Amino acid sequence: MTTSPSQVHELGMPGPSSTPPGPIADAIASSVQAHGPKQTELKAKDMKTDQEVRWCPGCGDYVILNAVQSFLPSLGIAREDMVIVSGIGCSSRFPYYLNTYGMHSIHGRAPAIATGLAASRPDLSVWVVTGDGDALSIGGNHLIHALRRNVNLTILLFNNRIYGLTKGQYSPTSEVGKVTKSTPMGSIDAPFNPVSLALGADATFVGRAMDSDRKGLTEVLRQAAEHQGTSLVEIYQNCNIFNDGAFELLKDPATGTQWSIPLVHGEPLVFGPDGAACVVRDDFGGLRIAETNQVDASEIVVHDSHRENPAYAFALSRLSSQDLRYTPMGVFRSVQKPTYDAMMAEQVDLARVQEPADLDALLGGNDTWQVEAQPSLSGE
Amino acid sequence: MTASTPTSATPATGPAATGSASGGLVKSVVELDRVVIRLAGDSGDGMQLTGNRFTSETASFGNDVSTLPNFPAEIRAPTGTLPGVSSFQLHFADHDIMTPGDAPDVLVAMNPAALKANLTDLPGGGLLILDSDEFTPRNLAKVGYATNPIEDGSLEGWQTVSVPLTSMTTDALKESGLGKKEAERSKNMFTLGLLSWMYHRPTEGTIRFLERTFRRKPEIAAANIAAFRAGYNYGETTEAFAVSYEIKPAPMAPGRYRNISGNQALALGLIAAGQRSKLPVFLGAYPITPASDILHELSKHKSFDVRTFQAEDEIAGIGAALGASFGGALGITTTSGPGVALKAETIGLAVMTELPLVIVDVQRGGPSTGLPTKTEQSDLLQAMFGRNGEAPVPVIAPRSPSDCFDAAIEAARIALTYRTPVILLSDGYLANGAEPWAIPAADDLPDLTGAVDFATEPNGADGEFLPYLRDEQTLARPWAIPGTAGMQHRIGGLEKADRTGNISYDPANHDFMTRTRQAKIDGIAHSLAPTEVDDPDGDARVAVIGWGSTYGPIGAACRRIRRSGRSVAQVHLRHLNPMPGDLGDILARYDRVICPEMNLGQLAMLLRARYLIDIESHTQVRGLPFRAAELAAVMQDAIDSTHGAALGADATGGAE
Ligand SMILES: Cc1ncc(C[n+]2csc(CCOP(=O)(O)OP(=O)(O)O)c2C)c(N)n1
Ligand code: SF4
Ligand SMILES: [Mg+2]
């Protein structure tokens, strides 16, 4: 299934992805022969496994799992063509509960492992599930590099602002002053805003959703899955054991509309009860919150997630403070750029044209000499 | 050929005829069986290039050759200083040789720093060629020479020939249109020309090489070729060199040969493994000396379905390789000791997930950053045990630069057949050293397609897929790749239940799985050929055992011992884990077993622990390979002091 260079997509833009020829393609072909054509019409129950789900009762991870199980079939991708790679943490148990291929790897390294898989198998839909500690502490380096490379991955970052699995230490997204087992006098380090961090790495797709908001979450997931390149979705996830109510300000109907800013592409950024608040440009090229009745309608920023320059999306991400007031929810940025895996495949195809794969010629090299049979040696 | 004076050289093309008279000089030709030359200069002088070219000429002439480059860790140490000295030693002979030579017969020193750094290695009476132009008061002062050694009589113990190499080069390039500084750069080619004359080397290869290298800068190509020819002609016409030397080609098995370094051979071996398994190759790597050249080489050959990924760190490099293996590629990561330390946790994951993976460790001096450009064998125990938990990993080591090719294929064979990470331990000496290599035919290489065998059908009684149901022979688990319908499964670092691969905390299961993983690795020994014992006389009481790059020096020392009338047996291990099944019995046959290593006794410790044999460890960590003479002395002592051994002649001197 090699593509000729003329078929190779310009700049690695998405195109029909091919299975590498050889034993990999053979194995897949023989499974198609045995099972018939790929099953792409699936239901939520088809995504479930026989594994007992082991999160604490009431954990936000359950609602996310349900949303993902219901949503995945809508992609029209066969189960065997999806791979979920996770790190370590409560959230990283995720792959066991989805009837796809999966790897529950080691702490922080899922983006690196998924990069190798996605780069060598562009025919697969590769997902990463990670936590705030997994992705932003031990695995911070891999995360930013995956984002900058724009490998075709969808990364779901379950942010509960705590280390769940290790029983409640503060995390790199915990607010300053957080009292936990390891910070009895309050944490003193400033948190990361994962969306800002991702945009700083020039991520081509960045979104944020709430575990309990099935509809909003599904919409962001849909856009993330359709995006070619690395998508990062920060999912606010309640850890009811070690950080219960962390997102209550945004979830509580009484305060939620006041403090969350829904992001809808092409819509003015108006929010709050009766649309009383809005987002306008400030004097320094950034954004600020204003009262809608104090500004001219033309001053209200219309959300544009396709902006090439990440500065706008970054400014959006800076509206919120660490106590979660003014938190934009939805898709911050979604821009098209060449993907790493497609460009890698393109170079392989180009190289095939430039230097045919002749192993004998390669082993011979440029500088060789011939030793003829020497009769004098035969006596030995 | 026209007669010429050193300052008005006209181009020559071929080696001089034996005993040729030129410019009225009658020059004699002396036949030698072997020569060791060391070229030393500032790192900006191009000594590595000169050495490599001389090696190619020598190899294509048909001599056996072995080389030892030695370069500073700093890319640009200040010019003319001791830390900036770079050298290249090569040993060539009319017979087969095993080492780059203990000590040079000829030392070429391009400046006072090169002289100072290398003179102690040149035995008395050796030939010393100096670039007199560089022995200026300033350069002498830089390295603390109070007086000029060329003039103060301190070099009397050697045959010293000091020639103005730099000015002769600029004179020869007067018409070239190059500035003085640029013209001076060609002095290494002038020197190469001179040496090519001295040792009757063919010159066409170097001329072709220069034309090829400077294709886009024809004036530079022309200048270098002119300097090279001028050096050659100078040798022919000068009175400074009355003798030239002939070293006949070495008898070699018929076939086509090339010169190859260890890193090159290793890269080609990895590509060959991909081709012979028909799998795509995925290399995840982070640059590190002395392993980077493997990344460079593989990245040039994408057409062989090779993908190279320069990762953000060593952990990502191996992680990506493991991810690719999960997807059905031959996953590879290449690094040196510090990188292996970072990869440890992921190697453990590969042990647990039982996926094929090749980890190449080109060892260098340690601990920590250690001696990045120098060689050592001190990662053996790291490779064996450097992980948490019981995490057995096969370990193999090549024994010469060209053997890196076969070792790479063997590493892939084990990884694919047994679905396991494999560590391949090369080292800095093998990586950069070079030797002639009989080019194999691709079709004669091991066929690895049988080792791949992706699982496509459920293997459970109820039509389910059991990812940890093992092959009875190899204990390997099935390798089912994403994209294969009906085989979806989840793997990971948590302990697996036997057969199903589900998470299991059951004590008995963990005990069983730990022992099974160990048994799988131990079982690889069944696939190994019987251990070769080199004991031509068959009556040795003392055996020498080694691994990796010490093969050359140990072998050379054994030859000396045998020529002195003594017997010694040589055993060299390619497989360090598992060790060959017959090894214990073999070692038990000898009164004494000596184990030379470039570490503080790591293999010796393993052998003692495993076989309860009183191994005598002989160690050295100087960042340089052993000298054959030193090892011969150790062996001779052992043999002569062993009860009942007949005393023979002194074995420490002489040729290999
Ligand atoms: C190398 C390593 N260091 C530490 C740990 C212990 N550990 C496991 S999960 C975790 C933090 C998980 O936090 P997060 O990623 O936020 O996941 P959550 O449990 O909150 O979903 C830590 C420190 C580990 N498994 N491996
Ligand atoms: S500890 Fe928190 S995050 Fe982990 S499973 Fe329990 S509730 Fe969920
Ligand atoms: Mg967390």
Side-chain angles (χ1 to χ4, degrees):
Chain A
M1 268 202 261
T2 5
T3 38
S4 79
S6 60
Q7 292 170 276
V8 172
H9 349 300
E10 287 245 329
L11 284 166
M13 281 305 186
S17 36
S18 57
T19 310
I24 296 177
D26 296 347
I28 292 167
S30 90
S31 85
V32 168
Q33 213 160 37
H35 298 261
K38 287 192 174 287
Q39 277 300 321
T40 51
E41 282 180 29
L42 302 164
K43 302 222 162 51
K45 70 167 174 38
D46 298 320
M47 302 314 297
K48 298 190 170 142
T49 64
D50 60 359
Q51 300 296 296
E52 185 193 334
V53 185
R54 298 214 192 171
W55 291 307
C56 308
C59 174
D61 289 344
Y62 284 97
V63 267
I64 303 174
L65 177 64
N66 281 333
V68 170
Q69 282 171 338
S70 318
F71 155 75
L72 281 181
S74 73
L75 293 175
I77 299 172
R79 292 180 299 192
E80 64 269 21
D81 290 338
M82 293 187 225
V83 187
I84 324 282
V85 183
S86 66
I88 296 290
C90 296
S91 36
S92 289
R93 288 291 183 105
F94 213 78
Y96 292 113
Y97 313 131
L98 283 172
N99 194 348
T100 63
Y101 283 85
M103 192 193 291
H104 176 212
S105 73
I106 46 177
H107 202 19
R109 316 303 172 192
I113 293 168
T115 293
L117 179 62
S120 55
R121 291 287 306 274
D123 55 318
L124 301 173
S125 169
V126 183
W127 297 64
V128 169
V129 174
T130 179
D132 44 322
D134 196 58
L136 302 171
S137 269
I138 192 164
N141 199 28
H142 307 308
L143 179 75
I144 56 175
H145 286 275
L147 294 171
R148 115 184 131 79
R149 288 191 186 103
N150 203 32
V151 193
N152 201 8
L153 297 175
T154 307
I155 303 176
L156 309 184
L157 194 170
F158 293 22
N159 183 6
N160 53 14
R161 307 189 80 181
I162 199 81
Y163 283 4
L165 192 69
T166 46
K167 304 193 173 163
Q169 300 83 4
Y170 80 114
S171 92
T173 57
S174 299
E175 60 281 12
V176 173
K178 181 126 196 130
V179 173
T180 70
K181 281 181 191 150
S182 60
T183 50
M185 296 171 75
S187 63
I188 53 178
D189 32 353
F192 271 138
N193 175 327
V195 169
S196 301
L197 184 79
L199 289 166
D202 213 354
T204 54
F205 185 101
V206 185
R208 180 186 282 144
M210 183 66 76
D211 56 1
S212 51
D213 172 16
R214 177 74 160 257
K215 191 161 157 280
L217 172 60
T218 304
E219 178 53 25
V220 175
L221 287 178
R222 187 185 60 75
Q223 292 190 42
E226 283 168 2
H227 178 74
Q228 295 288 325
T230 314
S231 329
L232 179 93
V233 181
E234 179 189 21
I235 305 173
Y236 285 155
Q237 173 245 323
N238 192 42
C239 167
N240 54 309
I241 302 297
F242 297 110
N243 201 17
D244 196 23
F247 306 101
E248 227 20 61
L249 188 78
L250 302 176
K251 289 188 183 194
D252 186 337
T255 53
T257 43
Q258 186 180 353
W259 298 118
S260 22
I261 309 175
L263 301 175
V264 183
H265 180 73
E267 297 286 322
L269 292 171
V270 176
F271 64 100
D274 307 322
C278 67
V279 176
V280 298
R281 295 185 193 289
D282 71 9
D283 297 338
F284 308 98
L287 301 173
R288 67 180 171 84
I289 307 294
E291 283 175 49
T292 311
N293 60 14
Q294 299 295 306
V295 298
D296 191 87
S298 65
E299 290 177 65
I300 301 174
V301 173
V302 174
H303 182 50
D304 178 5
S305 60
H306 302 327
R307 238 172 233 247
E308 182 61 33
N309 187 335
Y312 158 70
F314 186 81
L316 266 183
S317 76
R318 302 314 292 172
L319 289 172
S320 53
S321 54
Q322 54 165 319
D323 64 10
L324 301 179
R325 285 173 302 138
Y326 301 120
T327 298
M329 302 295 290
V331 176
F332 286 73
R333 186 177 198 227
S334 171
V335 297
Q336 283 295 310
K337 280 205 186 154
T339 68
Y340 186 85
D341 36 300
M343 286 189 288
M344 196 178 230
E346 196 177 315
Q347 287 196 342
V348 170
D349 288 340
L350 193 64
R352 283 206 178 100
V353 178
Q354 289 170 347
E355 179 207 22
D358 176 345
L359 186 57
D360 281 307
L362 177 71
L363 300 183
N366 292 327
D367 255 334
T368 66
W369 68 94
Q370 187 74 32
V371 173
E372 304 301 341
Q374 285 149 318
S376 61
L377 276 182
S378 58
E380 282 184 29
Chain B
M1 213 169 289
T2 32
S4 52
T5 62
T7 44
S8 63
T10 44
T13 45
T18 316
S20 76
S22 219
L25 285 171
V26 178
K27 298 210 168 192
S28 54
V29 175
V30 172
E31 199 173 305
L32 298 175
D33 64 345
R34 55 185 282 271
V35 180
V36 179
I37 300 179
R38 186 184 295 176
L39 305 164
D42 195 70
S43 39
D45 286 343
M47 290 298 100
Q48 302 302 325
L49 176 73
T50 313
N52 279 318
R53 280 318 312 161
F54 196 89
T55 305
S56 284
E57 290 179 359
T58 295
S60 71
F61 179 71
N63 293 126
D64 196 11
V65 41
S66 171
T67 69
L68 175 66
N70 194 349
F71 29 75
E74 291 78 16
I75 305 298
R76 287 270 175 271
T79 318
T81 60
L82 289 173
V85 174
S86 163
S87 73
F88 189 100
Q89 181 163 315
L90 83 162
H91 180 189
F92 58 106
D94 67 0
H95 54 279
D96 90 294
I97 50 172
M98 307 186 77
T99 73
D102 286 3
D105 303 307
V106 181
L107 172 64
V108 180
M110 303 298 284
N111 66 7
L115 177 68
K116 187 151 205 181
N118 290 282
L119 187 62
T120 48
D121 293 340
L122 184 68
L127 177 61
L128 178 61
I129 301 174
L130 303 171
D131 180 1
S132 55
D133 289 329
E134 290 292 320
F135 283 69
T136 60
R138 196 161 161 262
N139 285 352
L140 292 166
K142 269 189 201 167
V143 291
Y145 275 127
T147 54
N148 188 344
I150 298 180
E151 290 156 5
D152 65 11
S154 62
L155 301 178
E156 256 161 25
W158 295 275
Q159 304 172 53
T160 307
V161 185
S162 78
V163 270
L165 293 169
T166 306
S167 51
M168 283 194 292
T169 306
T170 49
D171 282 350
L173 299 184
K174 242 188 234 140
E175 324 276 80
S176 68
L178 295 185
K180 187 160 169 292
K181 273 266 157 292
E182 277 215 295
E184 275 182 11
R185 290 245 200 111
S186 299
K187 68 183 170 195
N188 62 334
M189 286 299 119
F190 185 96
T191 312
L192 180 63
L194 173 59
L195 291 170
S196 300
W197 169 80
M198 271 178 76
Y199 293 99
H200 298 208
R201 301 292 97 183
T203 54
E204 310 80 36
T206 295
I207 290 169
R208 259 186 282 125
F209 166 83
L210 290 169
E211 285 167 351
R212 206 169 52 227
T213 308
F214 298 109
R215 213 179 314 126
R216 287 192 196 86
K217 294 180 185 159
E219 68 290 352
I220 303 285
N224 276 303
I225 293 169
F228 176 63
R229 286 178 170 155
Y232 193 99
N233 290 348
Y234 168 69
E236 203 165 50
T237 51
T238 181
E239 289 178 25
F241 296 97
V243 189
S244 67
Y245 302 92
E246 192 174 43
I247 295 93
K248 293 239 159 67
M252 290 199 194
R256 204 155 61 94
Y257 284 78
R258 68 178 284 185
N259 193 45
I260 199 157
S261 73
N263 272 351
Q264 253 176 336
L266 216 159
L268 295 187
L270 295 172
I271 295 172
Q275 293 287 296
R276 299 296 289 166
S277 60
K278 297 206 164 74
L279 292 184
V281 168
F282 187 96
L283 171 72
Y286 188 76
I288 185 168
T289 303
S292 302
D293 283 340
I294 305 173
L295 165 63
H296 304 161
E297 187 67 27
L298 281 176
S299 61
K300 283 195 285 199
H301 302 297
K302 297 186 166 57
S303 64
F304 292 85
D305 215 359
V306 171
R307 284 168 180 74
T308 55
F309 171 64
Q310 181 175 317
E312 57 271 23
D313 60 25
E314 277 86 352
I315 302 173
I318 188 173
L322 185 66
S325 287
F326 185 46
L330 174 57
I332 300 167
T333 189
T334 50
T335 188
S336 186
V340 175
L342 287 171
K343 293 174 195 294
E345 191 190 9
T346 313
I347 300 175
L349 177 64
V351 168
M352 206 65 162
T353 53
E354 304 195 37
L355 286 169
L357 186 66
V358 176
I359 301 128
V360 177
D361 175 1
V362 186
Q363 300 163 97
R364 63 190 219 181
S368 187
T369 313
L371 303 173
T373 59
K374 307 286 187 244
T375 198
E376 209 163 277
Q377 297 183 297
S378 43
D379 293 347
L380 176 57
L381 294 184
Q382 174 175 235
M384 287 291 298
F385 304 117
R387 291 165 292 283
N388 60 303
E390 294 286 350
V393 170
V395 181
I396 72 169
R399 64 191 198 180
S400 74
S402 67
D403 188 43
C404 290
F405 179 82
D406 298 314
I409 296 178
E410 173 66 353
R413 177 192 74 87
I414 295 174
L416 294 170
T417 309
Y418 296 90
R419 317 274 144 81
T420 175
V422 174
I423 296 181
L424 195 170
L425 288 177
S426 178
D427 67 32
Y429 164 54
L430 295 177
N432 294 312
E435 63 179 359
W437 179 46
I439 302 161
D443 287 343
D444 295 343
L445 299 174
D447 180 354
L448 302 179
T449 49
V452 175
D453 186 29
F454 291 131
T456 56
E457 289 299 320
N459 53 357
D462 303 322
E464 78 279 37
F465 175 53
L466 300 171
Y468 279 76
L469 182 64
R470 294 168 191 281
D471 179 277
E472 283 174 16
Q473 289 266 306
T474 59
L475 297 182
R477 72 174 193 89
W479 188 9
I481 53 166
T484 325
M487 309 290 278
Q488 296 94 282
H489 63 285
R490 276 68 48 195
I491 54 176
L494 284 170
E495 182 60 285
K496 302 279 159 286
D498 183 33
R499 300 161 61 90
T500 64
N502 290 337
I503 300 171
S504 169
Y505 300 109
D506 177 61
N509 177 75
H510 178 56
D511 190 273
F512 174 78
M513 292 298 273
T514 303
R515 291 175 197 282
T516 304
R517 284 186 289 266
Q518 182 67 50
K520 178 175 87 166
I521 302 308
D522 291 345
I524 296 169
H526 299 309
S527 72
L528 307 181
T531 305
E532 273 179 44
V533 180
D534 182 29
D535 179 14
D537 303 319
D539 60 354
R541 305 302 323 137
V542 172
V544 194
I545 185 165
W547 67 281
S549 74
T550 52
Y551 177 70
I554 294 174
C558 287
R559 287 182 185 179
R560 292 180 191 207
I561 290 288
R562 288 169 196 149
R563 264 201 311 274
S564 76
R566 296 172 178 84
S567 291
V568 67
Q570 184 185 3
V571 177
H572 206 76
L573 294 182
R574 172 189 289 301
H575 295 92
L576 295 144
N577 194 37
M579 290 185 189
D582 55 2
L583 186 62
D585 289 343
I586 289 172
L587 296 182
R589 295 209 291 257
Y590 297 92
D591 293 343
R592 298 174 75 167
V593 180
I594 304 167
C595 180
E597 288 179 272
M598 296 188 288
N599 57 43
L600 296 187
Q602 301 190 5
L603 176 63
M605 178 194 275
L606 294 178
L607 293 172
R608 281 167 161 260
R610 183 149 312 176
Y611 301 117
L612 297 177
I613 287 173
D614 188 15
I615 305 287
E616 296 170 43
S617 184
H618 177 76
T619 63
Q620 168 198 291
V621 280
R622 299 167 57 243
L624 291 166
F626 277 110
R627 296 193 183 100
E630 173 194 345
L631 292 180
V634 172
M635 293 179 201
Q636 183 179 324
D637 266 2
I639 294 167
D640 292 353
S641 62
T642 302
H643 176 73
L647 291 185
D650 182 65
T652 53
E656 296 186 4

